[in-house]
Amino acid sequence: MRSSLRNLTALVLFVAVHSFSIGQPYLSRATNLSLSSSNVQSSTTTSGSSAVSSNSTTTSGSSAVRSFRPSTPIDSELQLQLLSFYRFVPISNPAAIRDALFDQLLLIPGVRGTVYVASEGINAQFAVPVGDQLQSLLHTFSKEGCLPFDAFEQNPPNIGDVVDSNVSTFDRLIVRTRDYILRDGIPLQDGDAPLDWSDAGTELDAEDWHEQLQQNNIQLFDCRNDYESDQGTFQSAQPLNTKTFSETWSCLMIK
């Protein structure tokens, strides 16, 4: 199965890369993610020398969650910066990274969002108050932060909209471990290796991209989700109209 998909994607000369842009359509999906934590137990967190009862939760297992839901709403006069980013980088101990990140992010007032940590890398979406809190968040994930790698070394964060605090975004902070930061939807058979996201083909600059599109034998697929391709796509591109990224491969198979 996996080898046949690799052959298929080799025939597709150009694929519009799935993006992690964040705006109102994505925001509604992000909100659903932040509300979907289940099978959790309340706990007590400790700050300094005193124990503080909070809306903090912890779970165990391959998708273990550290979660904190503030008991007080964000100041109505604040504005929130939406941002997202990811990086594929080997992580030998995802649970240790999860805990270090969660403890550090708790120190940033008003930050809410979801972070996934896996052995293949990290994927994060946030709503954070504009100003010092935003700078603290960016510092946390930079080479001077608490991680053994710079989350922005290969790509800068995707800076999205600035919204009023009364706009529905995330209701809590979630940092969780997962088997993958991006579920590719390809079923593994015995002996199959996971998809290598570092093997992404040749990157083209704008001039080369334009030149290649002039060829007659090009099949151009827009592999973004439907709410993204609905906002616009390249001329002659065929949107896959997927709801989630994991649907991409089954759509490509029938193309």
Side-chain angles (χ1 to χ4, degrees), residues 76-210:
S76 60
E77 296 184 359
L78 285 178
Q79 288 192 306
L80 303 176
Q81 175 68 66
L82 306 181
L83 70 154
S84 62
F85 55 89
Y86 68 98
R87 183 181 175 190
F88 288 99
V89 57
I91 296 178
S92 59
N93 191 339
I97 296 297
R98 176 202 63 215
D99 292 341
L101 269 179
F102 183 74
D103 292 342
Q104 188 67 31
L105 291 172
L106 279 182
L107 302 177
I108 304 176
V111 65
R112 291 165 166 82
T114 303
V115 184
Y116 299 125
V117 184
S119 58
E120 66 179 10
I122 189 168
N123 184 2
Q125 306 88 36
F126 289 106
V128 58
V130 173
D132 292 342
Q133 294 95 321
L134 173 59
Q135 296 308 311
S136 295
L137 178 70
L138 295 175
H139 180 272
T140 297
F141 290 91
S142 71
K143 61 182 179 181
E144 294 86 12
C146 68
L147 300 176
F149 56 86
D150 181 357
F152 309 136
E153 180 178 347
Q154 297 178 341
N155 297 291
N158 182 9
I159 303 298
D161 299 334
V162 173
V163 299
D164 293 333
S165 59
N166 60 358
V167 172
S168 177
T169 58
F170 302 90
D171 73 333
R172 71 192 72 187
L173 170 67
I174 296 175
V175 185
R176 70 186 308 164
T177 51
R178 298 182 76 172
D179 293 331
Y180 306 99
I181 62 169
L182 182 60
R183 298 189 183 278
D184 55 39
I186 302 177
L188 289 176
Q189 298 177 355
D190 291 342
D192 284 344
L195 195 63
D196 181 4
W197 288 100
S198 65
D199 183 15
T202 303
E203 183 174 349
L204 301 176
D205 60 25
E207 183 177 350
D208 290 336
W209 171 264
H210 179 73

